[in-house]
Amino acid sequence: MISQSRQHTLLEAIGEDPSRKVHIPQGPSYLTNPPGTTFWQAVGSWMFTLDHKRIGVMYLCGVMFAFLLGGIYAGLVRVELWNGTPGFLGESLQQAQNNYNQAFTLHGAIMTFLFIIPSIPAALGNIFLPMMLGAKDVAFPRMNLASFYLWCTGAVFFVATLLTSGLDTGWTFYTPYSTTTSTSVILATLGVFILGFSSIFTGLNFVVTVNTMRPKGMTWFKMPLFLWGIYSTAIIQVLATPVLAITLVLLVCERTLGIGIFDPAKGGDPVLFQHFFWFYSHPAVYIMILPGMAVISEVIPVYSRKHIFGYTFIAYSSVAIALLGFLVWGHHMFTSTESALAAVIFSALTFTVSIPSAIKVFNWLTTMYKGAIHFNAAMCYALAFMFLFTIGGLTGLFLGALSVDIHLHDTYFVVAHFHYVMMGGTLIAFLAGLHHWWPKMFGVMYNEFWARIACLLVFVGFNLTFFPQFILGTQGMPRRYAAYKEEFQFLHQLSTTGYFVLGTGLFLAAAVLIISLFKGKKAPDNPWGAATLEWKCCSPPTHHNFEVQPWTGSPYVYDDFVYDPDAEGYVEVLPDLQRDAKPAEAPAAPATT
Ligand code: HEM
Ligand SMILES: [Cu+2]
């Protein structure tokens, strides 16, 4: 923590001699075009841009649109479940059940493949990964743009699915139902196939960028933890996604050519599909959560004004999660004819994967301990993340325990578990990152007060929606049913009410951010006093981010940043003064590893 007196000394120092402030060169924003650009030239300059920040912004718009669409389908599910009897989605039980199957499938598939997987890496990662490396762009800018257009193509397939006969298999496409239903399975699987390539392109790009473009002085263990998280994610993206792609091709072959690989009548096995699917999809849940953890590892130290605790443990735990995540897929098949020995082994391995997750949570907590915590909106989201992710992770252990899962499998308990990790975890971390980096991305400040109110509504609404589902699950309410017994009604109604509170919170958060684009005060270069390199270029950055290679200090030492009332933000004190203040400090070592 930085002492008050040190802040005074630094402030006085730059007051006497303003040239001691580190000067950040200002330039034209990456969001704008040179004067005289026509409308169509401007459109073209975005569509064919190779600037990682513009691609990130386009991804951001895309994933937000997908989130809205997925959110509408969630609403259909929740409103149907207000009553135990069919009504909203169809008069008869049969009709309601058919429409309900479509609603939850499209909700799940859109949220998973179009929103959560690309959200943090492709939107925030694209914008900030190169900047955190002090670089001008990613290693392969053209591939980056291609990945965005693949995402768009995948999205078009999904929209085509919606416009044709929809999809009712669940986001997991389990056989034998997916090989027999008359809905648009082929369109949707092709969409997921294409989205998979988009994800692989992003991952590959990030692996190469981190390996080859770290600046002088930034060794692996001086990298911001965001980069460790995104790097581990990228490895899973590159290794696991091809398995999904092949599985989906097999599914399409099964439907069109009847090859029989998943059909017992022809010597195949439907459970084989589950193994293939979860061999990708369990690692994929870490594609979803690791970037969330990566954001939180940046946000917590900045707003606690303290060096991150246990840097190496957090860094290695990301890698451990990425590797262990490949070994536990069998916990999704405890109840589908898995051998008892396999089940016991998968259960035990599932427990090991929670260790690195817990390591992170303890380190974040210890970072906050005795810190000077600033409850900015981004920090409020980070705290919400810690609370919700912990509940999500711990309930994963209930499910990982073999005997307990026999009862809880396919109940609302599972639904609650994965929403606590995916929504309470990844989405909330995404919001934390969005608020943390918004001033840098768009060069404007939003209204802190209303942003915090939105965060509170999201938190309350989220718990109201999903906590009752844990109880429903333990009482035996199965998932994927449009109707239920009267005894479940009260808890379902709490949950549906929560959906509307949550929705209000999310709309408010979006409104606060969007209004800031038009009415927000101009953002200073470093509003929060963060030490990572993206804050060493102007807000918003120029096309090439940095005029000169920025000086690479520790990403988590805040001592040399002082709040300057003139700039309404933090300024870094010149390195030569730093050397005066800390004569013993060695110069940064060149990157060797
Ligand atoms: C702390 C570590 C975790 C453990 C021990 C764990 C454990 C489990 C287990 C055993 C199941 C299977 C339950 C069943 O079907 O009966 C499950 C389901 C699920 N988990 Fe986790 N989990 C963890 C973290 C996560 C994370 C981080 C995510 C996503 C970000 C996630 C997403 C899911 C999803 C989507 C399902 C349900 C899939 C479906 O059937 O539709 N889990 N989890
Ligand atoms: Cu799993």
Side-chain angles (χ1 to χ4, degrees):
M1 199 169 59
I2 310 151
S3 72
Q4 289 281 331
S5 62
R6 180 164 169 78
Q7 284 278 312
H8 272 281
T9 324
L10 290 178
L11 200 55
E12 271 171 20
I14 56 167
E16 283 158 19
D17 179 5
S19 68
R20 284 173 146 180
K21 290 180 194 173
V22 170
H23 175 66
I24 296 180
Q26 306 290 311
S29 146
Y30 75 99
L31 295 163
T32 55
N33 284 307
T37 316
T38 64
F39 174 74
W40 289 112
Q41 280 170 334
V43 172
S45 78
W46 275 85
M47 286 181 61
F48 303 110
T49 183
L50 297 179
D51 184 330
H52 66 101
K53 300 180 290 300
R54 284 190 168 191
I55 297 173
V57 169
M58 292 195 291
Y59 255 123
L60 185 63
C61 298
V63 298
M64 291 324 288
F65 174 74
F67 182 66
L68 185 67
L69 198 62
I72 292 172
Y73 279 105
L76 299 183
V77 169
R78 281 314 329 160
V79 173
E80 172 63 40
L81 292 176
W82 180 261
N83 283 318
T85 48
F88 181 67
L89 288 178
E91 301 279 290
S92 70
L93 182 60
Q94 185 65 42
Q95 247 179 3
Q97 188 65 60
N98 283 343
N99 291 332
Y100 183 82
N101 289 348
Q102 298 249 353
F104 77 69
T105 300
L106 290 165
H107 161 69
I110 290 172
M111 285 299 195
T112 313
F113 298 116
L114 279 174
F115 174 66
I116 287 212
I117 292 182
S119 63
I120 295 179
L124 297 179
N126 245 325
I127 302 178
F128 291 106
L129 178 130
M131 282 159 75
M132 284 187 163
L133 292 169
K136 288 185 167 32
D137 212 311
V138 288
F140 306 122
R142 284 187 177 74
M143 190 166 163
N144 201 12
L145 186 63
S147 124
F148 174 69
Y149 282 115
L150 282 174
W151 182 89
C152 294
T153 316
V156 168
F157 273 83
F158 264 90
V159 173
T161 308
L162 306 184
L163 297 180
T164 52
S165 47
L167 182 71
D168 66 352
T169 59
W171 74 282
T172 47
F173 298 109
Y174 274 13
T175 51
Y177 187 65
S178 59
T179 49
T180 48
T181 168
S182 60
T183 53
S184 307
V185 176
I186 295 189
L187 270 181
T189 42
L190 285 178
V192 175
F193 186 85
I194 295 168
L195 290 170
F197 275 91
S198 163
S199 182
I200 294 172
F201 279 20
T202 305
L204 203 59
N205 219 336
F206 288 173
V207 170
V208 177
T209 307
V210 171
N211 271 315
T212 61
M213 293 174 70
R214 274 173 298 120
K216 220 172 149 186
M218 191 187 282
T219 52
W220 282 99
F221 288 95
K222 284 189 177 160
M223 260 182 0
L225 289 163
F226 183 74
L227 299 183
W228 273 101
I230 296 289
Y231 188 80
S232 312
T233 309
I235 288 178
I236 315 179
Q237 283 174 302
V238 173
L239 294 182
T241 318
V243 179
L244 176 73
I246 293 167
T247 311
L248 296 178
V249 170
L250 287 174
L251 182 60
V252 171
C253 291
E254 179 94 9
R255 262 185 88 95
T256 50
L257 308 172
I259 56 169
I261 182 169
F262 303 127
D263 179 1
K266 296 179 181 160
D269 182 356
V271 179
L272 182 64
F273 178 86
Q274 298 187 19
H275 280 282
F276 284 170
F277 182 83
W278 286 107
F279 185 81
Y280 163 77
S281 288
H282 189 86
V285 307
Y286 296 108
I287 297 181
M288 302 174 208
I289 196 68
L290 276 169
M293 295 166 152
V295 169
I296 299 304
S297 302
E298 293 305 322
V299 170
I300 298 241
V302 171
Y303 298 94
S304 305
R305 313 300 304 145
K306 246 185 85 193
H307 194 288
I308 187 92
F309 185 87
Y311 173 96
T312 341
F313 276 87
I314 298 187
Y316 276 131
S317 63
S318 294
V319 182
I321 289 177
L323 299 180
L324 289 173
F326 277 96
L327 305 178
V328 302
W329 80 91
H331 64 213
H332 295 273
M333 273 82 69
F334 286 158
T335 58
S336 31
T337 69
E338 186 170 67
S339 81
L341 178 65
V344 169
I345 292 172
F346 278 124
S347 176
L349 285 170
T350 299
F351 279 84
T352 62
V353 84
S354 59
I355 297 172
S357 309
I359 287 179
K360 285 186 195 281
V361 175
F362 287 128
N363 282 314
W364 294 325
L365 275 177
T366 322
T367 304
M368 284 165 53
Y369 179 65
K370 290 197 173 169
I373 297 173
H374 294 218
F375 290 96
N376 293 64
M379 185 64 174
C380 294
Y381 280 112
L383 294 174
F385 171 97
M386 282 181 24
F387 185 81
L388 302 176
F389 173 75
T390 304
I391 296 182
L394 290 176
T395 50
L397 292 179
F398 289 48
L399 296 171
L402 194 45
S403 51
V404 181
D405 186 62
I406 307 292
H407 298 278
L408 293 178
H409 179 68
D410 266 349
T411 67
Y412 256 81
F413 193 91
V414 177
V415 179
H417 155 71
F418 68 71
H419 281 92
Y420 265 82
V421 271
M422 288 173 29
M423 188 164 188
T426 311
L427 176 81
I428 299 278
F430 178 67
L431 289 171
L434 209 54
H435 284 81
H436 178 59
W437 281 310
W438 192 262
K440 184 54 70 187
M441 274 190 266
F442 297 110
V444 287
M445 300 301 286
Y446 48 82
N447 185 312
E448 268 293 337
F449 174 77
W450 285 106
R452 270 179 267 179
I453 297 285
C455 176
L456 185 70
L457 278 175
V458 169
F459 182 77
V460 172
F462 177 86
N463 284 296
L464 190 57
T465 312
F466 294 107
F467 202 81
Q469 299 184 357
F470 281 125
I471 307 171
L472 280 170
T474 54
Q475 292 178 351
M477 170 75 208
R479 64 193 284 206
R480 301 184 170 175
Y481 281 73
Y484 52 80
K485 282 190 177 164
E486 191 154 341
E487 64 198 76
F488 297 128
Q489 187 163 33
F490 175 65
L491 290 169
H492 270 304
Q493 291 189 343
L494 279 186
S495 183
T496 303
T497 311
Y499 169 83
F500 288 103
V501 179
L502 179 56
T504 311
L506 290 169
F507 271 112
L508 183 59
V512 170
L513 293 178
I514 291 170
I515 289 172
S516 79
L517 292 178
F518 302 101
K519 300 225 162 126
K521 262 205 315 205
K522 188 181 173 338
D525 292 329
N526 194 351
W528 324 122
T532 37
L533 296 186
E534 77 275 25
W535 300 100
K536 298 191 182 181
C537 50
C538 58
S539 299
T542 59
H543 274 286
H544 288 124
N545 306 337
F546 303 97
E547 299 301 313
V548 285
Q549 177 93 61
W551 184 78
T552 327
S554 161
Y556 302 109
V557 172
Y558 303 110
D559 290 8
D560 300 316
F561 293 85
V562 55
Y563 186 79
D564 177 6
D566 294 342
E568 292 188 51
Y570 286 76
V571 290
E572 189 180 8
V573 181
L574 262 184
D576 84 43
L577 182 69
Q578 286 171 343
R579 262 183 252 124
D580 291 346
K582 290 185 288 178
E585 194 176 76
T592 48
T593 38

